Amino acid sequence: MDGNLRSTMLKLLDGNRILTIATNRPDGWPQATIVGYANDAERIYVIVARDGQKYANIARDNRVSVAVGGDTPDPMAITGLSMAARATEVADPTERARAVTLMLQRYPEYAAMAPTVMDTMVLLRIVPEVVSVLDYSKGFGHADLVRLEPCVSGRPA
């Protein structure tokens, strides 16, 4: 991925706290919801309810779409991300601890409830495969499409 595109993508991921995630429902309809997240470079972590529809959808079909962006009064200043990604539950204790630390850094207000909430929640890792980087400063509606190739560790290259 081009260094400028990667920089824009990371700036957007690092500069926001919520994203929209779309999952595939059993009836074929997409389901989009807003969740809080933390990221480690391109790798995104979210916490969802184990008994919720979002997790049931992902457990059945781990393909998701993710969108990150914000509002601006200047249409030519719009930036954002749209990603086709795979979501999987984090099982590795080391990665899990790192992800929880990242979540609590982004959401320090959740520290008191974290131990009890995590018992009923699922920590998911979202790894993008195709990223559309929106940057209207390059022209109204401009987007660069990038396919990320996973490396051996499962982290995007």
Side-chain angles (χ1 to χ4, degrees), residues 95-146:
E95 182 181 6
R96 189 174 177 80
R98 168 88 174 127
V100 169
T101 297
L102 290 170
M103 290 295 285
L104 291 176
Q105 286 172 348
R106 185 154 292 176
Y107 297 95
E109 62 273 23
Y110 294 162
M113 69 174 93
T116 56
V117 168
M118 289 305 292
D119 293 340
T120 60
M121 305 301 269
V122 177
L123 176 64
L124 296 173
R125 170 194 326 104
I126 299 173
V127 178
E129 295 182 8
V130 180
V131 179
S132 180
V133 181
L134 286 70
D135 186 351
Y136 283 27
S137 71
K138 296 179 179 179
F140 189 79
H142 179 87
D144 291 296
L145 189 65
V146 179

Side-chain angles (χ1 to χ4, degrees), residues 12-155:
L12 283 160
L13 287 173
D14 293 343
N16 287 282
R17 290 185 2 143
I18 60 169
L19 58 78
T20 300
I21 183 170
T23 59
N24 297 305
R25 290 169 28 120
D27 61 9
W29 285 96
Q31 177 180 344
T33 53
I34 295 173
V35 297
Y37 75 94
N39 63 294
D40 188 4
E42 296 90 352
R43 186 176 281 196
I44 299 168
Y45 295 100
V46 300
I47 298 171
V48 301
R50 185 168 298 281
D51 61 354
Q53 183 66 51
K54 191 171 18 277
Y55 180 65
N57 293 344
I58 290 169
R60 193 185 63 268
D61 181 351
N62 76 341
R63 295 173 303 153
V64 299
S65 290
V66 172
V68 177
D71 192 16
T72 177
D74 177 5
M76 299 311 292
I78 292 173
T79 57
L81 296 173
S82 175
M83 302 176 170
R86 303 255 178 199
T88 53
E89 186 170 354
V90 178
D92 176 68
T94 302
E95 182 181 6
R96 189 174 177 80
R98 168 88 174 127
V100 169
T101 297
L102 290 170
M103 290 295 285
L104 291 176
Q105 286 172 348
R106 185 154 292 176
Y107 297 95
E109 62 273 23
Y110 294 162
M113 69 174 93
T116 56
V117 168
M118 289 305 292
D119 293 340
T120 60
M121 305 301 269
V122 177
L123 176 64
L124 296 173
R125 170 194 326 104
I126 299 173
V127 178
E129 295 182 8
V130 180
V131 179
S132 180
V133 181
L134 286 70
D135 186 351
Y136 283 27
S137 71
K138 296 179 179 179
F140 189 79
H142 179 87
D144 291 296
L145 189 65
V146 179
R147 181 170 296 278
L148 300 178
E149 297 296 327
C151 65
V152 176
S153 70
R155 293 170 84 65

